[in-house]
Amino acid sequence: MTSALGTETAGLGIARGAEEPPSLRALRYWAYQYKRTWRGSITTSFLYPVLYLTAMGIGLGSLVNRHAHEVDHVRYLVFLAPGLLASTAMQIGGNEATYPVMGAIKWMRTYYAMLASPLRVRDVLFGHLGWIAVRLVTVSGIYLGVMAAFGTIVSPWVLLALPAAVLTGLAFAAPIAAFAATQETDTAFSTIYRLVLIPLFLFSGTFFPVTQLPAWLQYVAYATPLYHGVSLCRDLTLGQLHPAGDVAHGLYLVALTTAGLWAALRTYRSRLVV
Amino acid sequence: MTARGLTKRFGQFTAVDAVDFDIEAGESFGFLGPNGAGKTSTMRMISCMSPVTSGTLRVLGLDPAHDGPAIRRRIGLVPQEDTLDLQLTVLDNLVVYGRYFDLPRKVIRERAQHLLEFIQLADRAHERVEPLSGGMKRRLTIARSLVSEPDLLILDEPTTGLDPQARHLVWDRLYRLKQQGVTLVVTTHYMDEAEQLCDRLVIMDGGRIVAEGPPPDLIARYATREVVELRFPADDNAEVAARLDGLAQRHEVLPDRLLLYTDDGERLVEEVRRSGLTPERTLVRRSSLEDVFLHLTGRSLVE
């Protein structure tokens, strides 16, 4: 009897082992969705860094270099590129965690379709954030490729800038998704852009070292996530590592991502399971 | 499926108030009631998407509180509002959904082909869902719920908002599923739908079950064989009703007409005429679940 049960359980175990993890099944949905728009999306992922690096890095950069010679011991273009990489990751994380989350709850109701299947709330959430991570890998990978083409890559540590950028994006996506799941309309999203993402983009060291800011504003910058994403990506790209500082930047982003996930599990549950 | 004292509360509001029911395998069971009667809340609980507030519920012999994913694996759900992906093609909607159940892509494609033929959408397989008509989307939602070959199919108002032709097509497909042994649980506020589809049903009102049984039994129990509908030019239906007291076994006064319950409609119409009343219109018809509902609650099903 016991052995028969044991065999059965073992058999089940094998069957379970062959199963695709539920959150990966949810992720597949987003991949299917993306099939429709990937061409435009990939093109944008190339164009955006090309335009920014040309306009700001080369155009504005030539002025900066003439007056300041170097920023943080490198040409302005080289200084700027990793900042833009982190900012782009933030923007992708923000975009993908606002309207698509609202759509999956209110417009297309995709989350409800998933929840009618064996998928659970956590699978739905991890599947969506997993997809956002996939997007971040692609976009950041392309960005690094463009940076290489612009000759801004000077250190092998740059390989770690990819996970750093993805982490930066997730540190925004997870808490923003948690917030988006509490909203009835999309009006608050434009407020997030105007009052959170754009100020962070401007004042987190993307375009100039935060040490150029008045002292009190520097402390504000240190408290915000993009500053840590920019610093980490820049240190890795330039190969100018500050071990303690860089570990702290990473931990900050991991902590924010984790807190966002925890909050999102709660807001998703209270929104989707009533 | 068994429910005992099944209750759903949202804050102070009690949507489902201690209902009991049993649904047998292979049966086609209905929840009939007006909007707000608690049908959808009940459906959401039995499809393990909404936690039970109190009472016990067993679906396919399992407890939704602990075995939600295992139960949902064996359930097909047609929710009240379609949750199709409008940007994807008809076929991709089925494939994506089948993937949620971890079915191999090959299996899904084989089943999808049969299902699209079954719901007469095979020629639209590679078109986007968005431009399809309401009836087509509804049929696709039904097909999607069948991809996992469920033992239990839960349909929340499967034909609300469809034109008569589309409704009959949906009914026909559901009837065939029933013949294949699929257990159907249907909510509706259409009495004709309930009469068409359900072996047995409960009538819900205000979160409670007010009657239960096969449709013909309910009609026999709560209504007469025939109903005479009278429409008078004047607005004082109540006054007219008083004058007709005693002619019929029972009557109901509606805002626009008067219903008289009797076993012989033609004879009653004669008697009304003889009593000197001249209704603008008379209609003799068989009693329906609508009359049962009216009798039990004093209100019509569809306002």
Side-chain angles (χ1 to χ4, degrees):
Chain A
M1 195 70 184
T2 318
S3 69
L5 266 177
T7 325
E8 237 179 72
T9 320
L12 271 176
I14 291 164
R16 286 254 162 80
E19 246 186 31
E20 184 175 44
S23 48
L24 213 55
R25 297 183 229 156
L27 187 153
R28 273 174 191 281
Y29 161 78
W30 298 102
Y32 259 90
Q33 261 274 357
Y34 192 64
K35 278 202 306 189
R36 223 170 36 82
T37 53
W38 71 272
R39 282 182 198 84
S41 157
I42 295 284
T43 312
T44 316
S45 305
F46 268 108
L47 271 181
Y48 188 81
V50 169
L51 293 180
Y52 259 87
L53 290 177
T54 308
M56 313 288 301
I58 297 176
L60 181 66
S62 64
L63 271 179
V64 175
N65 292 335
R66 201 174 302 158
H67 291 92
H69 304 293
E70 284 187 333
V71 183
D72 275 12
H73 318 296
V74 292
R75 283 181 298 135
Y76 184 67
L77 176 66
V78 178
F79 169 84
L80 175 72
L84 286 177
L85 170 69
S87 300
T88 304
M90 168 187 80
Q91 197 185 334
I92 297 287
N95 284 346
E96 299 278 326
T98 45
Y99 296 94
V101 168
M102 168 123 301
I105 293 172
K106 291 206 67 145
W107 304 324
M108 213 85 98
R109 301 170 56 77
T110 313
Y111 285 163
Y112 292 101
M114 291 177 177
L115 290 173
S117 80
L119 302 185
R120 299 154 298 181
V121 172
R122 76 183 95 131
D123 306 323
V124 168
L125 174 66
F126 293 160
H128 199 165
L129 285 171
W131 171 249
I132 295 177
V134 171
R135 289 274 295 128
L136 285 165
V137 169
T138 341
V139 172
S140 309
I142 292 173
Y143 216 119
L144 285 165
V146 173
M147 280 165 64
F150 273 77
T152 71
I153 290 194
V154 294
S155 157
W157 284 101
V158 72
L159 290 175
L160 284 180
L162 179 67
V166 172
L167 183 59
T168 306
L170 287 177
F172 282 91
I176 290 175
F179 171 76
T182 65
Q183 294 300 295
E184 285 302 325
T185 67
D186 58 5
T187 45
F189 297 160
S190 54
T191 312
I192 292 186
Y193 283 100
R194 267 177 272 163
L195 296 186
V196 181
L197 300 190
I198 291 178
L200 288 184
F201 180 47
L202 295 174
F203 293 99
S204 295
T206 312
F207 298 101
F208 52 86
V210 290
T211 47
Q212 301 295 309
L213 293 169
W216 67 272
L217 209 50
Q218 286 183 38
Y219 288 108
V220 175
Y222 295 153
T224 61
L226 186 58
Y227 164 76
H228 296 277
V230 167
S231 304
L232 188 57
C233 286
R234 182 167 289 140
D235 287 357
L236 291 167
T237 309
L238 303 183
Q240 298 176 358
L241 301 191
H242 308 92
D246 291 330
V247 167
H249 295 318
L251 286 179
Y252 180 105
L253 296 171
V254 168
L256 186 56
T257 307
T258 313
L261 275 176
W262 178 81
L265 266 178
R266 294 178 64 99
T267 60
Y268 269 53
R269 280 215 179 95
S270 60
R271 181 64 182 265
L272 298 170
V273 182
V274 287
Chain B
M1 185 190 313
T2 313
R4 289 291 175 270
L6 182 63
T7 302
K8 181 74 196 184
R9 268 191 289 274
F10 299 103
Q12 294 295 306
F13 174 68
T14 304
V16 180
D17 192 0
V19 299
D20 301 339
F21 55 84
D22 295 278
I23 303 172
E24 305 290 329
E27 191 176 26
S28 171
F29 192 88
F31 289 83
L32 179 69
N35 293 330
K39 306 186 303 280
T40 295
S41 295
T42 308
M43 288 310 103
R44 287 180 46 82
M45 285 191 282
I46 62 183
S47 53
C48 307
M49 292 184 70
S50 169
V52 171
T53 307
S54 65
T56 58
L57 178 65
R58 291 290 174 277
V59 183
L60 300 163
L62 300 168
D63 181 354
H66 301 110
D67 306 309
I71 299 172
R72 291 200 299 268
R73 188 178 296 278
R74 294 172 57 196
I75 286 183
L77 178 68
V78 176
Q80 195 167 349
E81 277 179 76
D82 287 329
T83 57
L84 298 167
D85 192 296
L86 304 177
Q87 311 299 336
L88 293 182
T89 64
V90 166
L91 180 62
D92 278 352
N93 262 279
L94 297 181
V95 173
V96 163
Y97 199 74
R99 293 295 312 167
Y100 298 158
F101 289 81
D102 203 30
L103 301 169
R105 198 172 301 248
K106 189 162 160 282
V107 172
I108 300 172
R109 286 192 182 272
E110 280 167 14
R111 287 183 189 174
Q113 200 187 334
H114 290 296
L115 286 170
L116 291 178
E117 278 161 24
F118 178 66
I119 58 157
Q120 300 182 359
L121 277 181
D123 52 334
R124 313 296 283 262
H126 299 288
E127 291 177 32
R128 281 197 319 130
V129 170
E130 192 156 29
L132 300 184
S133 73
M136 289 177 180
K137 286 184 184 134
R138 210 63 188 139
R139 269 143 57 200
L140 178 57
T141 299
I142 293 173
R144 193 181 67 167
S145 73
L146 295 170
V147 163
S148 58
E149 298 195 334
D151 301 319
L152 168 63
L153 187 60
I154 296 172
L155 304 116
D156 197 359
E157 309 214 347
T159 68
T160 296
L162 300 191
D163 61 53
Q165 211 183 343
R167 296 180 71 199
H168 280 282
L169 183 61
V170 169
W171 288 344
D172 174 64
R173 300 299 123 157
L174 294 179
Y175 185 72
R176 290 188 200 193
L177 287 173
K178 181 171 131 54
Q179 284 180 317
Q180 290 166 21
V182 178
T183 309
L184 299 182
V185 177
V186 184
T187 78
T188 180
H189 56 244
Y190 296 123
M191 51 174 180
D192 50 349
E193 185 157 274
E195 281 171 340
Q196 285 263 353
L197 289 178
C198 303
D199 300 326
R200 215 152 56 82
L201 55 84
V202 291
I203 296 180
M204 286 191 83
D205 186 43
R208 292 173 170 278
I209 289 176
V210 291
E212 187 257 308
D217 288 13
L218 288 172
I219 293 168
R221 206 182 321 156
Y222 296 107
T224 52
R225 209 170 68 84
E226 292 188 326
V227 187
V228 176
E229 293 197 7
L230 300 178
R231 194 184 291 254
F232 289 96
D235 288 336
D236 47 357
N237 280 332
E239 196 184 307
V240 176
R243 287 177 61 189
L244 290 171
D245 208 19
L247 282 185
Q249 293 173 21
R250 203 160 57 70
H251 67 259
E252 295 283 352
V253 182
L254 297 184
D256 59 337
R257 65 215 140 105
L258 208 61
L259 305 183
L260 302 176
Y261 291 89
T262 177
D263 286 326
D264 189 344
E266 291 301 332
R267 214 182 69 195
L268 183 63
V269 171
E270 275 308 302
E271 286 174 17
V272 168
R273 291 245 162 75
R274 233 177 288 141
S275 73
L277 287 167
T278 48
E280 203 172 50
R281 266 178 51 194
T282 61
L283 170 72
V284 179
R285 59 168 176 82
R286 293 172 60 88
S287 290
S288 71
L289 286 172
E290 174 88 52
D291 302 297
V292 173
F293 186 80
L294 193 61
H295 175 56
L296 290 170
T297 70
R299 287 175 294 111
S300 332
L301 268 171
V302 188
E303 265 93 49

